[in-house]
Amino acid sequence: MRVRTHPRRRTAFTTGRPLLALAAGVAASALAAACAAKPVAQASHDDLEKSVTYTTPPGNGRLERLTWALPNGEPTSLDPALTGDYPGSTVEGNLCEGLVRMNADFSIEPGLAERITRPDDRTIVYDLRPGVTFTNGDPLTPEDVVYSLERHTRDKKLGSFWSSTYDAVTSIKKTGPTQVTVRFSRPSAIFEQSMATAAGLISQKSYVEKAGAAYGTPKGGVMCTGPFALEKWAPGAEIALTRNDRYWDRTRAAKAGKVVFTFISDSSTLTSALLAGEVDGTYGPPSTSYPVLSGSGSGTLYLGPSTQMVELLPAQKTGPMADARVRKALDLAIDKTALVANVFGPAAEPLNTMIPPGMWGTGPTRKTFEDAYAKLEDTAKPDLEKARALVAEAGPPNRAFTAAMPAGDQTALQILTFVQASAKDIGLTMTIRQVQPTEFSDLFYNPERRKEVDLVYAVGYSEFANPISYPDNYVRPDGLFNWTGYDDPEVRRLMDKGLHTADARKSAELFVEAQVRYTPERLVIPLAAPYQQLYMNKRVTGAPASFAYLQMPWAALIGAV
């Protein structure tokens, strides 16, 4: 799980954009049936739901060059161990692969492993696919796999963002000429899905050892097995990839001979470049450009399912927002339907809890999550009478509080201005504090920085579609984002059991029980679940439209119309 922070740093969150926002109201039928893409138009909500899609029409023609914009700036690293944000993941998924891979509908299938077996609930055996080579032509070996996976915990100086993925792993060993076996101290509900993220990407052992600390940098490059190879990284200018003609999966061989990434973080500059065809496309175009891009004749704006969500995080153990009744009152005072309409247009849904529907996935447990969500209190519309009664009951001695946001983020400012007015309606006074990007990032990790802040605006996401791990950051006494001191032993028990079972259905049922208990506490104030936005000009097509693109070799699927 991530939260957006301006200098993107990997953890459960990143904060330059809004935190974890998921498509909260997307009907299951619309998500499951969206096999053919439809462009977004200025349409009714019902029409919009029909347009949400996992994929875009296939791109069959070859391309000499594909140019793509990174709206969140330049990656800080392409080393899988140090990649956990939007820019790095957008590029890296086209270079590196794991033992399993993710599809556009968030499902998982074998990748570099041809066969995956579970002799028992504490053992996973991976039989490697024959004939796979790195982009330099050297064969993939079990030694490369063991080294890549162990690297996250073996090298403490590396500081892998993904070390916690391996908390329950007791050994990773070569157990045959083309076989690797992973053993656990206890079952895991999420390890297999985690292997489709950067936590499971495989690099060549000898190359990494030779590159040392330069691995993943402009100087050191990367060496993986994906459909593209890193040709050049010109800091501050561009990253260029070239097609890997040795790629093992001919059905997913890249159609573009070259992919060039440009770093365009200014909203107006990016919008102009997209409309003029100077870049072929981007994920996450500016929400303020939605009306222009959706009506453009030069390309198509698509909406896809997402595991993102926009939230407000309570930051103190004292003050008005430390009281769950006041947090709930603020939540009930906000007209989320109007907020979404004004800020996101049709590109988001109101959200009732910290887990958005996009995180439910498309498998057999989806209905469990969907049914449980339907039973939660619907907070899409305000209930001022109930909100005022809660404030009166709590009787906070101080009704003034401060909400922090990243300076210059116009979407965040729009949202907090809306929340500010809602707070006033129930007798609370909210001050908006714009914090410079570097300092804002520190709010998430440094308690000293939060001393004068009561709420923190955040946008987060989960790398895969499974809700069970996300709330851990809030419900545990030592949780990274448990800043109010919340502690419910029963919630912890349910979450522990859910995280450490290999039975997906049982895990889902335990999560649902925990969700019923923690949601009324408003450990976060959930606001919106944005859809993933994708814009491509009319000469190209084929990109996945869902948020799963971050874990996919999406550029290999794009071809000429």
Side-chain angles (χ1 to χ4, degrees):
M1 169 197 87
R2 303 283 173 287
V3 173
R4 277 177 59 181
T5 57
H6 261 291
R8 291 236 191 273
R9 45 195 290 192
R10 190 306 186 188
T11 98
F13 285 99
T14 28
T15 56
R17 316 184 281 182
L19 264 190
L20 298 172
L22 242 320
V26 182
S29 58
L31 290 176
C35 16
K38 303 177 184 69
V40 178
Q42 300 278 6
S44 69
H45 179 76
D46 289 343
D47 287 339
L48 173 68
E49 280 197 343
K50 296 173 185 176
S51 76
V52 174
T53 180
Y54 289 109
T55 61
T56 62
N60 298 313
R62 284 285 185 124
L63 292 169
E64 181 179 344
R65 175 186 171 108
L66 175 70
T67 304
W68 207 261
L70 298 179
N72 296 292
E74 185 172 3
T76 56
S77 177
L78 293 178
D79 180 343
L82 302 176
T83 301
D85 54 12
Y86 293 87
S89 298
T90 301
V91 176
E92 182 190 63
N94 296 289
L95 297 168
C96 301
E97 302 176 293
L99 298 169
V100 299
R101 66 186 183 188
M102 189 176 294
N103 295 310
D105 65 355
F106 297 99
S107 63
I108 303 298
E109 67 179 21
L112 296 179
E114 183 178 42
R115 189 164 67 102
I116 303 168
T117 53
R118 274 188 170 274
D120 55 63
D121 63 7
R122 299 188 184 196
T123 307
I124 304 178
V125 179
Y126 298 97
D127 290 292
L128 303 185
R129 197 176 295 278
V132 177
T133 65
F134 292 98
T135 55
N136 63 4
D138 294 341
L140 170 70
T141 69
E143 287 80 4
D144 295 309
V145 173
V146 172
Y147 176 82
S148 296
L149 302 187
E150 284 189 337
R151 184 167 173 257
H152 294 284
T153 55
R154 182 186 62 250
D155 186 352
K156 302 301 182 184
K157 291 183 179 179
L158 175 64
S160 169
F161 296 158
W162 304 93
S163 58
S164 62
T165 303
Y166 296 87
D167 283 351
V169 173
T170 57
S171 67
I172 305 171
K173 296 185 182 299
K174 174 183 176 180
T175 50
T178 59
Q179 188 180 84
V180 172
T181 298
V182 181
R183 292 188 170 86
F184 304 83
S185 60
R186 49 186 178 171
S188 173
I190 61 172
F191 186 82
E192 288 184 76
Q193 287 174 299
S194 297
M195 289 298 94
T197 72
L201 299 182
I202 307 303
S203 300
Q204 186 179 34
K205 176 183 177 181
S206 60
Y207 187 98
V208 178
E209 290 179 330
K210 183 177 180 180
Y215 189 67
T217 69
K219 180 180 178 181
V222 297
M223 184 53 60
C224 297
T225 63
F228 291 97
L230 179 62
E231 176 188 284
K232 178 182 69 172
W233 182 351
E238 66 180 31
I239 293 176
L241 315 184
T242 54
R243 181 170 52 231
N244 174 17
D245 291 324
R246 298 186 179 95
Y247 189 54
W248 60 271
D249 188 351
R250 303 317 300 167
T251 65
R252 291 197 177 189
K255 299 173 180 66
K258 188 171 188 173
V259 180
V260 177
F261 293 95
T262 60
F263 320 131
I264 310 177
S265 55
D266 181 79
S267 296
S268 59
T269 302
L270 175 55
T271 302
S272 297
L274 291 170
L275 293 174
E278 295 170 6
V279 293
D280 292 309
T282 190
Y283 284 103
S287 59
T288 52
S289 301
Y290 175 87
V292 176
L293 295 177
S294 63
S296 167
S298 61
T300 303
L301 180 67
Y302 296 94
L303 297 184
S306 174
T307 56
Q308 302 176 87
M309 70 280 289
V310 181
E311 305 168 325
L312 300 176
L313 309 188
Q316 298 292 339
K317 293 181 180 179
T318 60
M321 289 302 141
D323 190 319
R325 293 169 296 182
V326 180
R327 296 196 297 267
K328 184 173 182 179
L330 181 59
D331 189 26
L332 291 173
I334 301 168
D335 187 340
K336 297 177 186 177
T337 301
L339 185 154
V340 166
N342 280 280
V343 177
F344 298 100
E349 294 286 347
L351 189 59
N352 297 336
T353 185
M354 70 171 76
I355 298 298
M359 217 184 287
W360 300 341
T362 55
T365 57
R366 180 182 175 87
K367 191 171 190 319
T368 299
F369 300 132
E370 185 176 26
D371 289 348
Y373 189 89
K375 294 176 183 177
L376 295 175
E377 184 176 14
D378 186 353
T379 59
K381 290 289 188 180
D383 187 337
L384 294 179
E385 182 178 349
K386 188 173 182 179
R388 289 170 183 147
L390 283 167
V391 173
E393 177 186 324
N398 181 5
R399 295 194 174 201
F401 65 95
T402 299
M405 58 160 283
D409 188 329
Q410 293 305 307
T411 298
L413 183 58
Q414 278 184 279
I415 289 172
L416 289 190
T417 300
F418 199 100
V419 173
Q420 185 180 51
S422 301
K424 185 177 180 180
D425 285 341
I426 57 171
L428 301 176
T429 301
M430 180 177 124
T431 299
I432 300 172
R433 178 174 295 177
Q434 297 201 39
V435 182
Q436 290 306 308
T438 302
E439 295 178 3
F440 185 73
S441 176
D442 285 341
L443 288 175
F444 291 88
Y445 317 104
N446 186 346
E448 291 297 312
R449 292 282 190 183
R450 295 194 298 271
K451 278 188 173 179
E452 297 181 2
V453 172
D454 299 283
L455 287 177
V456 178
Y457 170 86
V459 180
Y461 66 87
S462 172
E463 288 84 5
F464 48 80
N466 187 336
I468 188 62
S469 64
Y470 184 72
D472 245 26
N473 293 276
Y474 303 93
V475 303
R476 295 187 184 283
D478 61 349
L480 186 59
F481 304 110
N482 183 354
W483 300 333
T484 63
Y486 173 81
D487 186 12
D488 182 333
E490 179 62 9
V491 170
R492 282 191 278 119
R493 184 189 71 81
L494 292 167
M495 291 297 298
D496 276 337
K497 288 188 67 176
L499 279 165
H500 299 293
T501 175
D503 184 334
R505 290 184 184 276
K506 182 62 176 175
S507 179
E509 291 166 359
L510 290 162
F511 162 77
V512 163
E513 285 188 62
Q515 180 178 247
V516 169
R517 290 184 67 94
Y518 70 66
T519 295
E521 299 297 317
R522 301 306 196 272
L523 305 180
V524 306
I525 297 175
L527 298 176
Y531 296 104
Q532 177 58 51
Q533 294 190 44
L534 160 69
Y535 184 85
M536 288 187 293
N537 69 36
K538 59 186 178 183
R539 82 181 188 99
V540 300
T541 187
S546 76
F547 193 69
Y549 84 90
L550 274 184
Q551 319 302 330
M552 294 178 63
W554 56 268
L557 305 177
I558 298 178
V561 173

